[in-house]
Amino acid sequence: MKRLLSMGLACLALTSSLAFAQQVREFSVSTVLSDAFPWGQAATKWAELVEERSQGRIKLKVYPNAQLVSGDQTREFSAMRSGLIDMAVGSTINWSTQVPEVNLFSLPFLMPDDAAVDAVTQGEAGKQIFAAIEKRGVKPLAWGENGFREISNSKLAITKPADLKGLKIRVVGSPLFLDTFNALGANPTQMSWTDAQPALTTGAVDGQENPIAVYDVARIDRANQKYLTQWHYMNDPLIFGVSQRVWKTLSAEDQKLLQETAIEAGQWEIAKARSELATTLDRIRSYGIDVRELTAEEHAAFVQATQSVYEKWTPKIGADLVEKAQTAIKNR
Ligand code: X2X
């Protein structure tokens, strides 16, 4: 009898462990842009890699267009922190109201090129930013990239700060953007990406700033955006993050799997997004858009005009963090 009982118990333990092993866990992943854009593709790639490496045990379901926060992209981070959203591939701009340190990336004209971006994200400054995010309830895993944000508008070719005077420009996220555009004499207005597109179409706003992949895929040339200046005023990195509420329920092995696949998906997306830029630009030109780059002198005038933003925001971001980033950029 005793033997039968112990055999029965062993059997039970085996079946329940098998059931446990086969249990499929599904997690939500929030993005602002869909997989028509590099940003959404980063999330899709992550989901594919996770599904494959976990043999279907872990499923990531991607919810684009910030739909989990009803389009209000600046609420994504807090929704993740509170567990309403499990994971996200999110923009530092949208998280900046909750994590002051990530405003670093929005400092105007801080990072002139890809090497500068990589020097910041892959170095000490990047580590410090990840620690700041982790402290606020989200486990950051890897970097992706939305890209350098360029300015477009319906009125004129922008080559100097005075050209922005009085232009109504849609901006997103942190109040830092209001300061930058006010410093340039523009008339900035904050709204979500969902609201921005009709506002451009109706002419309620004159211009916007976004990476050229976003400009192209969203076809905002059709929303009166006839002038595009590649001023490279900021780069918008993406971060793969997991709510701590979810992260702590995962085995060390699954945590490792999620992190490795996020790093792989991020590297894949950054390379893809950067390699597509030249073709994207050609396509935009073929729409008949006035596309400009700034001369060194023109660029310097914008840098000069936005110095007040550094004075106001460096203490909020952390002077040591800003300095770390500047040193990494100088030594790149
Ligand atoms: O709203 C934007 O401009 C976008 C899509 O680029 C971000 O979410 C930062």
Side-chain angles (χ1 to χ4, degrees), residues 41-314:
Q41 290 157 18
T44 306
K45 184 73 172 180
W46 189 24
E48 282 168 8
L49 291 172
V50 167
E51 169 119 36
E52 180 191 303
R53 306 271 164 85
S54 70
Q55 272 105 33
R57 233 175 1 92
I58 308 176
K59 283 197 195 310
L60 306 188
K61 189 161 167 25
V62 182
Y63 293 87
N65 306 318
Q67 60 186 279
L68 298 175
V69 280
S70 314
D72 187 355
Q73 61 209 57
T74 55
R75 279 177 35 223
E76 185 180 69
F77 190 88
S78 50
M80 201 172 13
R81 185 169 48 194
S82 68
L84 228 72
I85 294 176
D86 298 324
M87 306 180 186
V89 178
S91 156
T92 53
I93 300 178
N94 296 328
W95 294 4
S96 62
T97 41
Q98 275 97 47
V99 190
E101 291 84 348
V102 303
N103 279 296
L104 172 75
F105 297 102
S106 309
L107 283 174
F109 306 100
L110 173 72
M111 299 178 293
D113 50 31
D114 291 344
V117 177
D118 297 342
V120 175
T121 58
Q122 303 308 312
E124 284 308 311
K127 277 198 199 118
Q128 198 170 323
I129 282 170
F130 268 20
I133 291 171
E134 189 157 0
K135 205 176 79 194
R136 291 184 179 80
V138 169
K139 173 74 188 173
L141 301 181
W143 297 93
E145 187 166 284
N146 192 20
F148 277 100
R149 299 179 74 91
E150 319 293 8
I151 184 131
S152 72
N153 81 101
S154 58
K155 304 272 195 235
L156 80 175
I158 295 172
T159 55
K160 54 185 184 304
D163 295 331
L164 273 152
K165 193 162 174 23
L167 282 189
K168 203 156 181 196
I169 306 290
R170 173 268 172 175
V171 294
V172 66
S174 161
L176 188 155
F177 289 86
L178 297 177
D179 291 335
T180 299
F181 283 88
N182 280 324
L184 292 169
N187 179 9
T189 172
Q190 259 177 338
M191 64 182 81
S192 71
W193 177 238
T194 317
D195 292 339
Q197 296 169 84
L200 292 166
T201 307
T202 60
V205 295
D206 304 315
Q208 63 87 47
E209 44 75 59
N210 247 300
I212 63 164
V214 179
Y215 178 102
D216 178 42
V217 178
R219 289 302 309 263
I220 56 173
D221 57 299
R222 293 174 172 158
N224 306 311
Q225 298 302 290
K226 301 294 175 222
Y227 302 93
L228 177 63
T229 298
Q230 297 200 80
W231 64 349
H232 266 45
Y233 91 123
M234 69 155 292
N235 188 293
D236 179 11
L238 303 174
I239 296 174
F240 293 65
V242 181
S243 168
Q244 287 285 7
R245 288 171 193 258
V246 169
W247 187 250
K248 59 183 186 221
T249 69
L250 298 168
S251 66
E253 197 187 328
D254 285 347
Q255 288 180 344
K256 187 161 173 266
L257 189 152
L258 276 169
Q259 176 134 40
E260 283 173 359
T261 48
I263 291 172
E264 215 173 300
Q267 284 170 348
W268 171 85
E269 185 261 342
I270 292 172
K272 182 170 188 282
R274 290 180 185 176
S275 73
E276 288 169 352
L277 283 176
T279 330
T280 303
L281 212 54
D282 286 347
R283 197 165 36 242
I284 294 173
R285 285 205 174 92
S286 79
Y287 303 151
I289 302 306
D290 180 314
V291 183
R292 310 241 169 164
E293 279 177 36
L294 300 178
T295 63
E297 208 176 313
E298 288 166 346
H299 179 265
F302 281 98
V303 173
Q304 183 63 34
T306 49
Q307 278 318 296
S308 59
V309 180
Y310 280 75
E311 281 146 37
K312 179 163 171 193
W313 282 85
T314 300

